[in-house]
Amino acid sequence: IALFGEKYEDKVRMVKMGDYSLELCGGTHVHYTGEIGIFKIVSQSGIGSGLRRIEALTGQAALDYLNEYEATVVKLAEELKTSSQDVEQKVKDLLSALKEKDRIIQKLREKLAQSEVDNILAQAQQVEGVNVLAAKVDAPNMDSLRSMADLIRNKLGSAVIVLGSDNAGKVNFVTVVTNDLLEKGLHAGKLIKEVAKVTGGGGGGRPEMAQAGGKNPAKISEALNLVIKLVESQLKNVG
């Protein structure tokens, strides 16, 4: 079998192992397989259709790898205050405890969001009979921001809602337009695109819901101040 891309001399050694392997080989590294000793596979990857590449360590290199691995497990056991044999179970217990704490934190965040929603509802304004609420809120991520927008929509019933937040220097925006206002020409995706531009970002989405990001948190308030004019513009364009 010729392996394209390989370079061969006029004569090429053939290495045969039993009745199951016959390979082209320019030279072997050991006289017999017993010299290999420990054989530890450290990685494998696909190199083509139906082909896998296996990388392994042998001999002293394999022994050094296993000793280093054992030392890491022992160190983890000391940090976790358990035995090497119980490290796996200890980690599982810790992950389970963290998951429960995350659940509790999420519940507390939902309560805080509800409280914040009640406080910002008073910021809603009327633009030609349409409820418009644009506000900067405290939300740790886009999911929380969307949840807050849903809470406000449920409270107002009919409204255009634009929320912005600063998440560790990252700007997030969410816009919601209730279905009854779509026929008036209001479009969440077009609104959020213009709002996000002010903070050096961009985004878009569906007429009823859209989200975007930005780069300059200092301009969130400036961006939200445009919402009233943008809503008025969309309403006039349809009229």
Side-chain angles (χ1 to χ4, degrees):
I1 299 175
L3 303 178
F4 296 98
E6 298 289 340
K7 293 183 179 180
Y8 301 104
E9 300 297 332
D10 292 338
K11 292 183 179 180
V12 182
R13 172 187 282 187
M14 302 292 290
V15 178
K16 182 178 181 182
M17 289 182 283
D19 296 326
Y20 52 85
S21 179
L22 180 63
E23 307 288 344
L24 287 173
C25 184
T28 53
H29 300 286
V30 294
H31 293 91
Y32 49 87
T33 55
E35 286 187 25
I36 294 174
I38 300 174
F39 184 89
K40 172 61 180 166
I41 296 175
V42 294
S43 70
Q44 61 169 316
S45 59
I47 59 173
S49 179
L51 298 175
R52 305 290 295 176
R53 170 177 287 141
I54 293 176
E55 295 183 4
L57 298 173
T58 62
Q60 187 61 47
L63 184 59
D64 292 342
Y65 175 88
L66 294 173
N67 285 336
E68 183 179 350
Y69 183 84
E70 182 182 22
T72 299
V73 173
V74 170
K75 185 176 180 180
L76 283 174
E78 291 175 353
E79 293 288 339
L80 296 172
K81 294 181 173 56
T82 188
S83 65
S84 298
Q85 293 79 11
D86 295 332
V87 165
E88 182 180 4
Q89 186 58 50
K90 184 70 173 181
V91 171
K92 287 181 179 179
D93 292 342
L94 287 172
L95 289 175
S96 178
L98 285 173
K99 187 175 181 179
E100 176 62 19
K101 288 180 180 179
D102 285 342
R103 187 188 66 80
I104 294 173
I105 290 172
Q106 183 59 34
K107 288 291 184 182
L108 291 173
R109 282 177 175 169
E110 289 174 0
K111 289 183 179 179
L112 287 173
Q114 180 65 61
S115 176
E116 188 170 3
V117 164
D118 292 339
N119 291 331
I120 66 175
L121 283 174
Q123 299 180 37
Q125 301 179 53
Q126 287 276 320
V127 178
E128 297 184 26
V130 174
N131 286 321
V132 180
L133 176 57
K136 182 178 179 181
V137 298
D138 184 14
N141 50 52
M142 190 64 80
D143 288 340
S144 298
L145 199 60
R146 284 196 297 265
S147 295
M148 195 173 292
D150 287 338
L151 288 172
I152 294 172
R153 177 177 56 190
N154 293 337
K155 291 280 187 178
L156 292 177
S158 174
V160 174
I161 304 158
V162 183
L163 302 181
S165 69
D166 175 2
N167 180 20
K170 180 181 179 181
V171 179
N172 289 330
F173 288 111
V174 164
T175 297
V176 171
V177 175
T178 53
N179 291 331
D180 62 303
L181 299 178
L182 297 179
E183 62 185 19
K184 293 180 178 290
L186 295 170
H187 192 292
K190 294 178 181 178
L191 278 172
I192 205 72
K193 182 178 180 180
E194 296 303 318
V195 170
K197 278 183 182 179
V198 179
T199 61
R206 303 187 306 276
E208 69 276 11
M209 197 284 287
Q211 62 186 49
K215 301 176 182 178
N216 190 347
K219 291 195 172 185
I220 292 178
S221 295
E222 181 183 339
L224 293 172
N225 287 337
L226 286 178
V227 173
I228 295 297
K229 291 183 179 179
L230 292 172
V231 170
E232 289 176 343
S233 178
Q234 288 193 0
L235 288 171
K236 288 179 181 178
N237 286 337
V238 172

